[in-house]
C-alpha cells in the first residue's frame, strides 16, 4: 500500500506551523474540559489526564503544505476512551476543539471515534514538545494536520457541525490527504 498521499513529499521531521504563538501554560494550571452534548462532562488536570489509560500508535502525519513524516510514534489517551467516559448524547454529531492560542477546528464524531485517534502527550518516546502541541494535541492520522489541533483545552460535543479557524478561511472541512482535499 502506498503511504505517501498525492502531492506530498517525505520529511524527516515535523515542521512547526501554527498561528505564531506557543501558549505557555504552567502544568499545574493546565486542564482539559470535555463538555457539550454529553451525559457526563469531564475536567482533567494534567496529572489526571496523564494517569488515564495510555495508548501508543505509530502513524504518518500529513501537512497541507505538502510534507509527510512517516512513522510518528504517538503516546496518549484514545479519543474513544474520553468519549466513553463522557457518554455523548445521541444528538452529538460533531466535536468542536478549542486550543490554547485561540485556534479552533471541528470534526464529525465518526472521524474521531477511529482506533488511531488520540490526544497525544508523547512523541517518539519523549514528552510532546511545546512547539508541537504539548502538553496535549489531537492526532487524527487520516486527515491533514490542521485537524490534529495543538494545545487542546476543550472538546465540545455538539449537535451541529461548526467550521473552525482554517475552515472559515477557505480550507476544506474534510481535509483528506488522499484526495488532496486542501481547499473548499
Amino acid at each position: 500500500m502506498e503511504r505517501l498521499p498525492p502531492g506530498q513529499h517525505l520529511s524527516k521531521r515535523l515542521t512547526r506551523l501554527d498561528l505564531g504563538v506557543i501558549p505557555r501554560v504552567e502544568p499545574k494550571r493546565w486542564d482539559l474540559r470535555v463538555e457539550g452534548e454529553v451525559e457526563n462532562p469531564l475536567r482533567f488536570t494534567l496529572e489526571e489526564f496523564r494517569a488515564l489509560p495510555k495508548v501508543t500508535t505509530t502513524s504518518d502525519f500529513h501537512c497541507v503544505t505538502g510534507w509527510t513524516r512517516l512513522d510518528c510514534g504517538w503516546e496518549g489517551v484514545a479519543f474513544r476512551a474520553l468519549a466513553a467516559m463522557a457518554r455523548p448524547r445521541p444528538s452529538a454529531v460533531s466535536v468542536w476543539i478549542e486550543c490554547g492560542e485561540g485556534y479552533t477546528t471541528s470534526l464529525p464524531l465518526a472521524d474521531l471515534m477511529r482506533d488511531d485517534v488520540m490526544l497525544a502527550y508523547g512523541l517518539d518516546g519523549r514528552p510532546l514538545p511545546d512547539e508541537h502541541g504539548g502538553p496535549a494535541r489531537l492526532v487524527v492520522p487520516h486527515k491533514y494536520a490542521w485537524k490534529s489541533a495543538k494545545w487542546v483545552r476543550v472538546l465540545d460535543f455538539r449537535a451541529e457541525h461548526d467550521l473552525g479557524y482554517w475552515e472559515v478561511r477557505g480550507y476544506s472541512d474534510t481535509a483528506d490527504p488522499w484526495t488532496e482535499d486542501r481547499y473548499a
Side-chain angles (χ1 to χ4, degrees):
M1 176 178 126
E2 178 63 35
R3 290 178 56 195
L4 192 62
Q8 298 291 106
H9 65 273
L10 290 178
S11 177
K12 293 189 185 288
R13 64 184 184 87
L14 297 182
T15 299
R16 180 182 157 215
L17 294 172
D18 51 53
L19 301 181
V21 176
I22 298 175
R24 306 288 182 189
V25 177
E26 184 180 327
K28 290 182 182 185
R29 292 185 50 220
W30 184 90
D31 67 350
L32 173 69
R33 295 186 334 262
V34 183
E35 58 193 32
E37 293 292 311
V38 296
E39 298 295 332
N40 185 34
L42 304 168
R43 182 189 169 275
F44 299 100
T45 65
L46 185 56
E47 186 177 310
E48 292 166 339
F49 177 70
R50 288 183 176 161
L52 294 172
K54 177 176 75 172
V55 295
T56 59
T57 186
T58 300
S59 62
D60 302 336
F61 196 79
H62 312 292
C63 183
V64 69
T65 63
W67 58 266
T68 291
R69 179 173 176 235
L70 301 177
D71 300 321
C72 297
W74 300 104
E75 176 181 302
V77 178
F79 181 88
R80 280 183 174 185
L82 291 169
M85 287 185 275
R87 297 190 316 273
R89 293 184 179 118
S91 56
V93 297
S94 182
V95 179
W96 175 259
I97 298 112
E98 294 180 12
C99 304
E101 92 297 22
Y103 181 76
T104 59
T105 194
S106 60
L107 286 128
L109 183 54
D111 277 320
L112 292 167
M113 295 299 286
R114 291 173 55 145
D115 288 339
D116 58 353
V117 175
M118 70 165 61
L119 263 74
Y121 51 73
L123 173 61
D124 296 330
R126 296 184 189 95
L128 185 63
D130 290 346
E131 65 267 19
H132 292 301
R137 82 170 298 150
L138 187 62
V139 175
V140 187
H142 64 285
K143 299 290 184 185
Y144 280 122
W146 83 80
K147 293 291 192 177
S148 292
K150 297 191 252 184
W151 309 298
V152 173
R153 299 297 297 275
V154 177
L155 301 172
D156 184 356
F157 286 70
R158 294 187 173 181
E160 294 184 15
H161 185 75
D162 297 305
L163 299 178
Y165 182 89
W166 285 118
E167 296 83 4
V168 299
R169 289 164 172 80
Y171 279 69
S172 164
D173 191 39
T174 57
D176 182 354
W178 294 99
T179 61
E180 294 188 85
D181 191 11
R182 291 176 164 85
Y183 309 104

